[in-house]
Each structure stands twice: as structure tokens, then as C-alpha cells.
Amino acid sequence: MQELIGTGVALVTPFDAQGAVDHLALARIVHYQVENGIDYLVVLGTTGESITLSKQEKADVIKTINDANNGRLPMVLGLGGNDTAVVVNELKTMNLTDFIAILSVSPSYSKPTQEGIYQHFKMLSQASSIPIILYNVPGRTGTNMEVETVVRLSAFENIIAIKEAAGDIVQAMKMIQYTPKDFLVISGDDMIANAMTLAGGAGVISVIGQAMAQDFSDMIRYALNGDVGESYQLHYKMAAVVEMIFEQGNPAGIKTLLQHLELCGNEVRLPLVKVDTLLNKRLKTFLESY
């Protein structure tokens, strides 16, 4: 899956002032990714506020992104949940022909054991017609996918990667070390994406990348090429804004940055709220001085 080596972005779902999906803004964001060096698009992930979207809204978001992209970049679909049977049914019934893989988060809230996580993804592997990217984000799910579990799952032919977002560089390095060479360990944490890539990772699925698209994707390309100095020069150039966009939650921070780039508004759906005035000003000041 060479298409997944580099920088993917977890796309936001823009809303208008009335709370409806802003499809014109969504198309602008897609064009911005294509024109500024991003390698692939991740549709309906956590950053896309997918849990607040209706079934029809999800279908409409997929159509807008697909139409705007027009086959220019590979696409990955976020598809997961904490009811294994429901996710299996979605995998069997959804039209996945426009996607090269699905990104499936470890079950949240239920806090399954490592064996439960393994059996969940085993069922998904048997049901999916396209490759699966595991997604480990214990800060959201409440349970960490241990290295041993990831190694076990990497034996399935169609489980080809993990988006590793535990924020633990040592755990990430062990995943890189102990999984097969063709298994991709992708950073899900923008702050350590450069370090993970230099350690042998396959790049990043990024939040900040959709605003700082050119520089962030260049940073990852430098890292993949082993150009340490150049990659860290860009990392430190962007480090402050990476911290800022997560201070008051995702995607409230990145939507504010995108608003200052005139790509979309900063509306989010409850229970999320917009960033406060001070952070809004700090993000604007960063862009003005960047």
C-alpha cells in the first residue's frame, strides 16, 4: 500500500451558521489538500465529527469529497464503532469502491480486553473487502492497543497498517520493530509524526496537515528520505501551532485555523464548542507571522 506512505489528512466537516454541512467549504478544503502536496484523504474520521452526522449527511459528505477530489488522491474511509456486529454489517453493505482502505478505531467506552480487541478486528478482517488500517487512540477510546495485539493482528493479510495515536514514541518504535516489514505504522499524533517517521514509520494521518499542508507534507517527505535536519527545521517551525490546535479540543482548533485561511467557518456541533477568543487570536497571530 504505497499510497499510504506520506501525509494523509483527517478532513473536517465544515458547518454553516445554521449547523448544516457546508459542502462548498468542504470542496474548497479538498482542493487545498490536492494543490498543496497532501498524499491521501481520510474521510469521516474523528476530526470529521462523524459521530454527530446522520446517515444521509455521511453519504452526502462522501459524495462531495469524492466529486471534489475527482480521483486525484487516494481516499480512506473512517468506519468503526464499539458494536462489532454493526461495524461488520456496515462493511458488508456499504459501497467501498472509491476507497483504498478503511480506518477503524479500536472499540471505545466498552473498554475490551486485548483479546476482545483482537477478536473485534478479526471479525472485521473477515468481513472487509478492502484493506484495514487499525486506529489506536487510547485518549479517546479508554483502552490502549498493546504492541503484542498489533503484532497478532498484523498477521491478517488485509490488516495492513495502524494509525498509532497513543503519543508514546517507545510504543510506536516497538510496533515498527516487531510487525512485518510491509506493515505500515502511521503516526496519529502530529507532534511526534516526524520522530516516528524518522524511526521507520510510514508517515502520518494528520490534523494540522490540512491547514499547513505544504510544509507538513514536505516535513514528512524529508523524514522518509532520511533528511533529518530539514525535517526538524519544519517540525520546529510548526510545533507551536500543533500544540495550540489541540488545547481546546479537536476539531475546534483546526477549524479556527482553517477559518483564518478562509477555507471554512469554525462552527462545530455540540457537545463540542468553538475555541475561546484568546486562542482564536493566538492562532490568527501565528498565521500572520508564519
Side-chain angles (χ1 to χ4, degrees):
M1 294 295 290
Q2 293 295 310
E3 302 100 322
L4 296 173
I5 297 176
T7 301
V9 291
L11 294 169
V12 301
T13 302
F15 302 120
D16 62 24
Q18 287 71 46
V21 176
D22 186 341
H23 290 277
L24 290 177
L26 182 56
R28 277 197 303 274
I29 290 169
V30 171
H31 293 309
Y32 185 81
Q33 310 314 306
V34 176
E35 294 161 4
N36 286 280
I38 295 301
D39 297 301
Y40 61 98
L41 306 174
V42 178
V43 180
L44 294 179
T46 305
T47 303
E49 297 175 75
S50 56
I51 59 172
T52 70
L53 299 176
S54 69
K55 186 175 181 179
Q56 184 60 54
E57 285 177 323
K58 290 180 181 180
D60 293 342
V61 163
I62 290 172
K63 184 178 187 307
T64 294
I65 294 171
N66 199 26
D67 289 349
N69 182 43
N70 195 27
R72 293 177 291 176
L73 294 181
M75 298 195 304
V76 171
L77 178 66
L79 201 163
N82 62 349
D83 185 332
T84 306
V86 170
V87 182
V88 166
N89 183 63
E90 288 180 326
L91 283 170
K92 289 180 176 180
T93 57
M94 281 191 69
N95 181 1
L96 301 174
T97 55
D98 294 320
F99 299 95
I100 62 167
I102 66 159
L103 174 66
S104 194
V105 69
S106 180
S108 63
Y109 191 77
S110 303
K111 298 184 74 172
T113 63
Q114 294 302 302
E115 183 62 25
I117 293 171
Y118 174 82
Q119 293 296 336
H120 171 82
F121 282 112
K122 179 181 177 180
M123 293 290 290
L124 269 55
S125 172
Q126 294 169 347
S128 182
S129 60
I130 62 175
I132 296 170
I133 305 168
L134 309 172
Y135 183 12
N136 184 38
V137 57
R140 288 187 181 274
T141 65
T143 306
N144 183 46
M145 290 181 66
E146 303 291 345
V147 174
E148 292 81 2
T149 304
V150 176
V151 172
R152 289 178 71 194
L153 289 167
S154 69
F156 290 98
E157 186 176 356
N158 66 341
I159 297 181
I160 50 89
I162 183 168
K163 178 184 177 184
E164 170 53 19
D168 184 341
I169 188 65
V170 175
Q171 175 168 284
M173 291 171 71
K174 288 180 179 178
M175 289 180 183
I176 294 166
Q177 180 179 3
Y178 293 117
T179 55
K181 288 185 177 180
D182 60 352
F183 185 84
L184 306 179
V185 179
I186 301 166
S187 177
D189 186 320
D190 284 338
M191 189 57 79
I192 62 172
N194 191 52
M196 277 183 63
T197 306
L198 286 165
V204 64
I205 293 175
S206 176
V207 176
I208 193 63
Q210 66 191 302
M212 318 304 291
Q214 191 66 65
D215 278 354
F216 208 81
S217 59
D218 283 348
M219 178 190 76
I220 295 298
R221 289 189 188 96
Y222 280 131
L224 288 167
N225 289 332
D227 297 323
V228 180
E230 291 88 344
S231 68
Y232 268 113
Q233 183 177 2
L234 286 171
H235 166 84
Y236 289 122
K237 184 180 179 183
M238 294 179 284
V241 77
V242 171
E243 289 188 331
M244 278 191 277
I245 65 164
F246 294 110
E247 281 183 22
Q248 295 178 19
N250 182 45
I254 188 63
K255 279 190 168 181
T256 300
L257 205 57
L258 293 170
Q259 182 183 47
H260 291 310
L261 289 169
E262 299 182 350
L263 291 172
C264 70
N266 68 342
E267 301 289 338
V268 290
R269 284 184 174 173
L270 286 170
L272 300 180
V273 295
K274 298 178 187 179
V275 303
D276 63 26
T277 301
L278 179 59
L279 181 54
N280 192 320
K281 289 180 179 177
R282 288 167 58 210
L283 287 165
K284 183 178 182 181
T285 299
F286 174 88
L287 277 181
E288 289 172 347
S289 62
Y290 188 72

